[in-house]
Amino acid sequence: METPNAADSTPDDAPESTGIAAQDWAQASAEPQYRAAVIDLLGALAYGELAAFERLAEDAKLAPTIDDKAELAKMASAEFHHFERLRNRIAAIEAEPNEAMEPFAAALDEFHRQTAPSDWLEGLVKAYVGDSIASDFYREVATRLDTDTRDLVLQVLDDTGHASFAVEKVRAAIKADPRVGGRLALWARRLMGEALSQAQRVVADRDALSTMLVGGVADGFDLAEVGRMFSRITEAHTKRMAALGLSA
Amino acid sequence: METPNAADSTPDDAPESTGIAAQDWAQASAEPQYRAAVIDLLGALAYGELAAFERLAEDAKLAPTIDDKAELAKMASAEFHHFERLRNRIAAIEAEPNEAMEPFAAALDEFHRQTAPSDWLEGLVKAYVGDSIASDFYREVATRLDTDTRDLVLQVLDDTGHASFAVEKVRAAIKADPRVGGRLALWARRLMGEALSQAQRVVADRDALSTMLVGGVADGFDLAEVGRMFSRITEAHTKRMAALGLSA
């Protein structure tokens, strides 16, 4: 997963590290509801990495050159190694990795089914837009996590190099044929809509995770804060679209 | 790539290490025809690993459980790392990796197009059969290579764990429904036929490689030896089919 705009998406008003954000896992996990929320979060992130691996490998088949193919295979492989770290972490905190991932498989699989790219450029835009939004979201959440979980989450969100690769290729394609820009802008909007719709489904299904997000546990977001988070993520998305040469 | 039957496929009559097999790359590559043949061989192997990455990643989508999916993603990632080593080696001996791979892309892509698995079990059988045959072939060739090239080839042929995984899953499926065995045996025969037809195409196209294989360069196979090599590979294939519970 990538975050070219990590700086943009870091909340200016990040809370001081007090409460759970100042604790390590051993302390924070004494609270059962917090523990359940973190297992949910790691499960969602792990399955997301595995799905990203599949998607990038799939896109590699659409690559116009062997170099492009190898570049995507490299990123897919990096996502797989992130997946392994998350899965090992879930096991290390004595949860069952498959059980932790399972609740998120349907929503993520459905998202990918609904948004199968029809060509190389659509695949690049999807990977770039999808990973960036996911990454922004996890970074927002990370500021509220215990120190051990936060370190891991930030490490697996490290840029795998996809962002600059995608931006460069998409910009070049639009330059060569400006009509491509209109088609890809529509595509990016469809991706955003489908992502929000699957995210709502997850939030409705997973109590522990949702409660953490809207305030109950951790250093909680309140509802107003969730609203601000979404506008930060949307703003970052708009900036990224502009960087691609697309209107959001 | 895997070789569960590495011991079976090692020729009993392997030649003593004399000539090129006793030289390192620096010595052996002074012969331009040998150098060209090795670049061909590494190019074919590298593209084969990249194609194997794609195929395994594709099969991961057919996996019935998250564990199976993760297992295939892990193998795909291992193939990608083999690809990287081969590509780096090609560059290190001052050849252009894409140019070295390009001549083999069409045959390998066509093989995979002609043999797209229709389900999870067909995917497992294909990976197992295909990788094993390729691995047997490269091991036979490896005994004739200079020491540096041989070490690399043997390292990237190291079992990625796919063989025992595939055998276990396929045997269990046949046990649960014996009719599956008939279908998969037909499938394996089709794979073997298609592999031979693409191999012939490559041999007809690539002079340097073919000349090395049938004797001109290296410590050369003569035609009789090539015949013996094919019968060893075929025997190993028959044994593997039996291990899967299939008649070859």
Side-chain angles (χ1 to χ4, degrees):
Chain A
M1 296 204 176
E2 295 83 36
T3 30
N5 306 59
D8 294 350
S9 64
T10 302
D12 296 333
D13 51 347
E16 290 292 308
S17 284
T18 54
I20 278 179
Q23 297 173 19
D24 64 14
W25 172 251
Q27 296 172 278
S29 61
E31 165 69 66
Q33 229 183 332
Y34 177 75
R35 187 175 184 282
V38 167
I39 291 170
D40 261 17
L41 190 75
L42 295 177
L45 195 44
Y47 198 84
E49 295 282 5
L50 192 56
F53 161 85
E54 282 193 318
R55 189 201 54 216
L56 288 165
E58 181 77 17
D59 292 350
K61 293 200 302 184
L62 302 168
T65 69
I66 296 181
D67 266 343
D68 288 333
K69 193 188 281 289
E71 194 61 37
L72 257 69
K74 182 180 171 184
M75 295 170 199
S77 188
E79 304 282 14
F80 176 75
H81 296 306
H82 292 163
F83 162 77
E84 276 188 318
R85 295 191 59 184
L86 290 160
R87 187 183 54 184
N88 293 346
R89 175 65 183 167
I90 295 170
I93 62 176
E94 282 156 35
E96 214 293 295
N98 289 353
E99 279 170 32
M101 287 185 268
E102 193 63 58
F104 306 99
L108 279 156
D109 288 349
E110 187 59 20
F111 172 73
H112 288 300
R113 247 193 305 277
Q114 293 289 341
T115 58
S118 66
D119 66 16
W120 166 244
L121 290 172
E122 287 190 4
L124 287 180
V125 169
K126 178 176 170 183
Y128 177 59
V129 167
D131 289 357
S132 303
I133 291 174
S135 179
D136 283 353
F137 168 75
Y138 285 114
R139 274 173 209 274
E140 293 270 356
V141 174
T143 60
R144 271 81 183 177
L145 297 171
D146 67 275
T147 51
D148 296 315
T149 308
R150 182 168 61 235
D151 288 350
L152 174 64
V153 168
L154 294 178
Q155 281 165 28
V156 300
L157 293 178
D158 254 5
D159 189 350
T160 56
H162 201 176
S164 58
F165 179 80
V167 170
E168 183 197 319
K169 299 283 170 180
V170 172
R171 286 178 67 101
I174 294 173
K175 199 172 170 193
D177 178 3
R179 286 168 308 173
V180 165
R183 176 167 71 84
L184 293 178
L186 278 176
W187 170 245
R189 277 195 284 268
R190 205 180 120 207
L191 291 171
M192 191 56 157
E194 190 63 34
L196 287 175
S197 124
Q198 295 301 332
Q200 282 178 322
R201 176 173 165 185
V202 167
V203 168
D205 280 358
R206 303 303 298 174
D207 279 353
L209 189 58
S210 309
T211 308
M212 179 171 84
L213 293 180
V214 293
V217 226
D219 292 324
F221 292 66
D222 59 19
L223 272 176
E225 177 54 23
V226 171
R228 285 193 292 276
M229 177 176 89
F230 275 104
S231 47
R232 283 191 298 268
I233 290 178
T234 310
E235 266 171 49
H237 171 71
T238 308
K239 279 187 198 168
R240 277 191 299 264
M241 290 301 92
L244 275 182
L246 304 176
S247 53
Chain B
M1 299 205 174
E2 295 83 38
T3 31
N5 306 59
D8 295 349
S9 63
T10 302
D12 295 334
D13 51 346
E16 290 293 307
S17 285
T18 53
I20 278 180
Q23 297 174 21
D24 64 12
W25 172 251
Q27 296 171 276
S29 61
E31 165 69 66
Q33 228 185 333
Y34 178 76
R35 187 175 184 281
V38 167
I39 291 169
D40 260 16
L41 190 76
L42 296 178
L45 195 44
Y47 197 85
E49 295 282 4
L50 192 56
F53 162 85
E54 281 193 317
R55 190 203 53 215
L56 288 166
E58 180 77 17
D59 292 349
K61 293 199 303 184
L62 302 168
T65 69
I66 296 180
D67 265 342
D68 289 333
K69 195 188 279 290
E71 194 61 35
L72 257 69
K74 182 180 171 184
M75 295 170 198
S77 188
E79 304 282 15
F80 175 73
H81 295 306
H82 291 164
F83 162 77
E84 276 188 317
R85 294 191 58 185
L86 290 160
R87 188 183 52 183
N88 293 346
R89 175 65 183 168
I90 296 170
I93 61 177
E94 282 155 35
E96 214 292 296
N98 288 352
E99 279 170 32
M101 288 185 269
E102 193 64 56
F104 306 99
L108 278 156
D109 288 349
E110 186 60 19
F111 172 72
H112 288 301
R113 248 194 304 276
Q114 294 288 343
T115 58
S118 65
D119 65 16
W120 167 242
L121 290 173
E122 286 191 3
L124 287 180
V125 169
K126 178 178 170 181
Y128 177 58
V129 168
D131 288 357
S132 303
I133 292 173
S135 179
D136 284 353
F137 169 74
Y138 285 115
R139 274 173 208 275
E140 293 269 356
V141 174
T143 61
R144 271 83 183 173
L145 298 171
D146 67 275
T147 52
D148 296 315
T149 309
R150 182 167 62 234
D151 288 350
L152 174 65
V153 168
L154 294 178
Q155 281 165 27
V156 299
L157 293 178
D158 253 4
D159 189 350
T160 57
H162 201 178
S164 58
F165 180 80
V167 171
E168 184 197 319
K169 299 282 171 183
V170 172
R171 287 178 66 99
I174 294 174
K175 199 173 168 192
D177 177 2
R179 287 168 306 175
V180 166
R183 177 167 70 85
L184 293 178
L186 277 177
W187 170 245
R189 276 195 285 267
R190 205 181 120 207
L191 292 170
M192 192 57 158
E194 190 63 35
L196 287 175
S197 123
Q198 296 301 331
Q200 282 178 322
R201 178 173 163 184
V202 167
V203 168
D205 279 359
R206 302 302 298 173
D207 279 352
L209 189 57
S210 309
T211 308
M212 178 170 84
L213 292 181
V214 291
V217 228
D219 291 323
F221 291 68
D222 59 19
L223 272 176
E225 177 56 22
V226 170
R228 284 192 293 275
M229 176 177 90
F230 275 105
S231 50
R232 283 191 297 268
I233 291 178
T234 309
E235 266 171 49
H237 171 70
T238 308
K239 280 187 197 169
R240 277 190 299 266
M241 290 300 94
L244 275 182
L246 305 176
S247 53

